[in-house]
Amino acid sequence: MSVGRINRYSIVSSEEEGLRLTTMHGMNGFGNGKIHTRRKCRNRFVKKNGQCNVQFANMDDKSQRYMADIFTTCVDIRWRWMLVVFTLVFVVSWLAFGLAFWVIALLHGDLDNPAGDDNFTPCVLQVNGFVAAFLFSIETQSTIGYGYRCVTEECPVAVFMVVFQSIVGCIIDCFMIGAIMAKMARPKKRAQTLLFSHNAVIAMRDGKLCLMWRVGNLRKSHIVEAHVRAQLIKPRITDEGEYIPLDQIDINVGFDKGLDRIFLVSPITILHEIDEESPLFGISKQDLETADFEIVVILEGMVEATAMTTQARSSYLASEIFWGHRFEPVLFEEKNLYKVDYSHFHKTYEVPSTPRCSAKDMVENKFLVPSSNSFCYENELAFLNRDDEEEDVGGGSRALANLSPDRNSRHEFERLQTTRAMDQRSYRRESEI
């Protein structure tokens, strides 16, 4: 077998799917019964990188509220503004206490005796101007202690200012170092190595129509207590006529059965079963092409290195959900380990046997799904992988011994393909109902 045989599965990109035309049934049977319209682009509520597309306006007392929680404000601001705040806090404190020491020296008369009279004792030695007072302030707060300038017992006010500046300097150091450490240790950047598939898919899984998307972890360090959740966001009008622009509806990803808790070592496909309680229960492939909603997916867990909770977000518009597609396999077994090929992480292939009707129609009309014995893309890759392993391990004589089983596998593959074609023909007749 060769990989080139798998050309019947079409790999579709988001750009190609986003530019497709929407098909709608015509009114009263006029024309050919179809109207082609282009999908209206919907503004995202959550961007692909996880940022929320929300802007606050007309906030009363915004500055006062942010200053009331100054520590969180310093942690949330950008690094360039954080460095500006860091520099200004220290420079302003040095200038303030330098000005205080200069005023004390001025009032005591230290500036009138620059030569250093033996009968005169200044408040601070070698402080004959504002620059000298500023340097003494830096030495005091940063505990440099060159020994050239020092406070004397002549002025209790100067002694008090040295003590007070030392206390204030410790408080500033604690605050700024704490804010910088908290900003550096934030698990926000950990979400950059948590990956979501570019598209979601809808296909059959265990005889049921399911919405699926894929998540992955690019680091070898684990996400502890990882769990996923999802919400469908769309505009809604209530029974009283109230318009809700962003109505949030929970999407069950297996919370009742504990399936939302995942062991994220290799990429995992998250599954939402489209049943009676699903907001997608009445949506068919045709309805999906004109639908206006957004599915926000969230992955939460604790970073193994810091034990801090991190959250990764992404979203899928209706145009980014591929009906009748599955994800390509990314996990392969090689000798004594499992290999993850991230080049196939975002790729999907088409499954023609997927019903085009909604899950509601399948339940009400008792729709017959194709047989589970139909051959699929993953099975073909498994055959290829098994044949490659046999060729690598076996020698010349062993290859001759395995020639007959290899022919049997090819006969089995052809038989399954024939069965799959028959199932598709019977399915087409059933889908016309």
Side-chain angles (χ1 to χ4, degrees):
M1 295 183 184
S2 62
V3 182
R5 294 183 181 182
I6 319 175
N7 56 3
R8 60 184 176 276
Y9 301 102
S10 60
I11 307 302
V12 182
S13 63
S14 59
E15 289 81 4
E16 296 172 351
E17 191 73 5
L19 294 176
R20 66 184 180 183
L21 293 177
T22 301
T23 303
M24 299 177 61
H25 287 291
M27 299 294 293
N28 300 326
F30 291 104
N32 59 0
K34 294 183 179 179
I35 301 174
H36 295 283
T37 59
R38 188 170 295 275
R39 183 198 302 274
K40 180 182 177 181
C41 295
R42 184 182 188 277
N43 291 328
R44 288 185 179 275
F45 184 61
V46 177
K47 299 180 181 179
K48 278 294 188 181
N49 58 3
Q51 295 181 356
C52 296
N53 190 21
V54 178
Q55 183 179 4
F56 300 108
N58 301 324
M59 296 176 58
D60 296 335
D61 302 330
K62 177 180 178 180
S63 301
Q64 291 81 350
R65 294 177 185 273
Y66 274 59
M67 292 301 294
D69 189 11
I70 185 63
F71 186 84
T72 304
T73 303
C74 291
V75 173
D76 288 341
I77 60 177
R78 295 181 178 272
W79 272 107
R80 52 178 171 267
W81 296 114
M82 184 64 184
L83 295 177
V84 171
V85 172
F86 181 86
T87 303
L88 286 178
V89 166
F90 282 101
V91 172
V92 169
S93 64
W94 294 337
L95 288 173
F97 284 101
L99 180 63
F101 285 117
W102 179 78
V103 171
I104 292 174
L106 179 63
L107 296 178
H108 189 261
D110 297 349
L111 304 182
D112 299 332
N113 297 277
D117 189 359
D118 295 337
N119 297 325
F120 179 79
T121 304
C123 291
V124 182
L125 297 176
Q126 303 300 329
V127 174
N128 302 320
F130 178 76
V131 176
F134 176 71
L135 294 177
F136 177 71
S137 173
I138 296 176
E139 295 176 16
T140 302
Q141 186 167 331
S142 58
T143 65
I144 295 177
Y146 291 117
Y148 185 68
R149 300 179 182 86
C150 62
V151 68
T152 63
E153 300 177 356
E154 181 68 18
C155 301
V157 178
V159 176
F160 172 78
M161 289 302 300
V162 170
V163 175
F164 182 66
Q165 184 178 10
S166 300
I167 296 174
V168 173
C170 290
I171 295 175
I172 293 176
D173 291 341
C174 292
F175 180 86
M176 297 307 301
I177 293 175
I180 292 177
M181 289 299 298
K183 190 175 183 63
M184 293 177 61
R186 278 192 312 172
K188 184 178 180 179
K189 294 299 181 182
R190 181 64 174 89
Q192 302 297 325
T193 53
L194 297 175
L195 198 61
F196 290 92
S197 58
H198 290 161
N199 302 95
V201 298
I202 293 179
M204 298 299 296
R205 175 69 68 89
D206 295 329
K208 298 178 180 178
L209 203 61
C210 298
L211 170 71
M212 293 171 282
W213 65 91
R214 181 178 275 172
V215 296
N217 181 14
L218 299 182
R219 289 187 180 272
K220 290 187 176 180
S221 59
H222 298 172
I223 297 295
V224 184
E225 292 293 331
H227 59 279
V228 294
R229 54 194 179 95
Q231 286 187 333
L232 185 140
I233 300 178
K234 65 176 182 179
R236 182 175 72 91
I237 299 179
T238 63
D239 297 337
E240 296 77 16
E242 180 185 2
Y243 177 73
I244 302 177
L246 297 173
D247 187 31
Q248 301 182 10
I249 305 173
D250 285 335
I251 293 180
N252 186 12
V253 290
F255 176 78
D256 299 335
K257 300 179 181 179
L259 300 178
D260 61 325
R261 305 278 178 175
I262 58 176
F263 183 48
L264 193 58
V265 177
S266 62
I268 296 178
T269 300
I270 308 301
L271 184 142
H272 163 64
E273 181 180 329
I274 303 178
D275 53 11
E276 292 83 356
E277 298 180 356
S278 172
L280 305 175
F281 186 58
I283 295 181
S284 63
K285 181 179 181 180
Q286 183 178 356
D287 297 332
L288 183 64
E289 294 175 350
T290 58
D292 180 23
F293 64 82
E294 178 180 358
I295 295 179
V296 177
V297 293
I298 301 172
L299 171 62
E300 293 179 330
M302 292 188 298
V303 180
E304 187 179 28
T306 61
M308 300 181 68
T309 302
T310 184
Q311 183 182 90
R313 299 178 295 269
S314 186
S315 67
Y316 301 103
L317 300 179
S319 60
E320 296 171 343
I321 301 176
F322 295 166
W323 189 286
H325 282 247
R326 289 181 186 153
F327 289 107
E328 284 195 3
V330 295
L331 184 63
F332 304 94
E333 185 176 1
E334 291 188 356
K335 297 180 181 179
N336 59 343
L337 53 84
Y338 292 91
K339 179 181 178 181
V340 177
D341 187 0
Y342 274 98
S343 63
H344 299 274
F345 184 84
H346 301 288
K347 293 181 179 179
T348 65
Y349 67 93
E350 188 176 1
V351 182
S353 60
T354 305
R356 296 174 178 268
C357 65
S358 64
K360 182 179 180 180
D361 294 336
M362 293 176 60
V363 173
E364 293 178 352
N365 300 331
K366 297 194 171 29
F367 193 85
L368 297 178
V369 297
S371 173
S372 60
N373 294 327
S374 60
F375 204 79
C376 66
Y377 180 60
E378 289 86 349
N379 295 344
E380 186 170 355
L381 283 182
F383 270 100
L384 292 174
N385 191 26
R386 188 183 67 176
D387 292 342
D388 292 340
E389 290 180 355
E390 291 177 354
E391 291 177 0
D392 294 338
V393 176
S397 59
R398 188 171 181 179
L400 292 175
N402 292 336
L403 182 60
S404 177
D406 186 46
R407 290 176 180 174
N408 292 335
S409 65
R410 289 192 178 92
H411 290 318
E412 180 68 15
F413 172 74
E414 294 174 356
R415 185 184 66 82
L416 289 173
Q417 287 287 57
T418 305
T419 305
R420 179 175 179 270
M422 294 177 62
D423 290 338
Q424 287 183 0
R425 286 195 296 269
S426 62
Y427 170 73
R428 291 192 187 99
R429 288 193 295 268
E430 193 71 35
S431 62
E432 293 175 358
I433 300 177

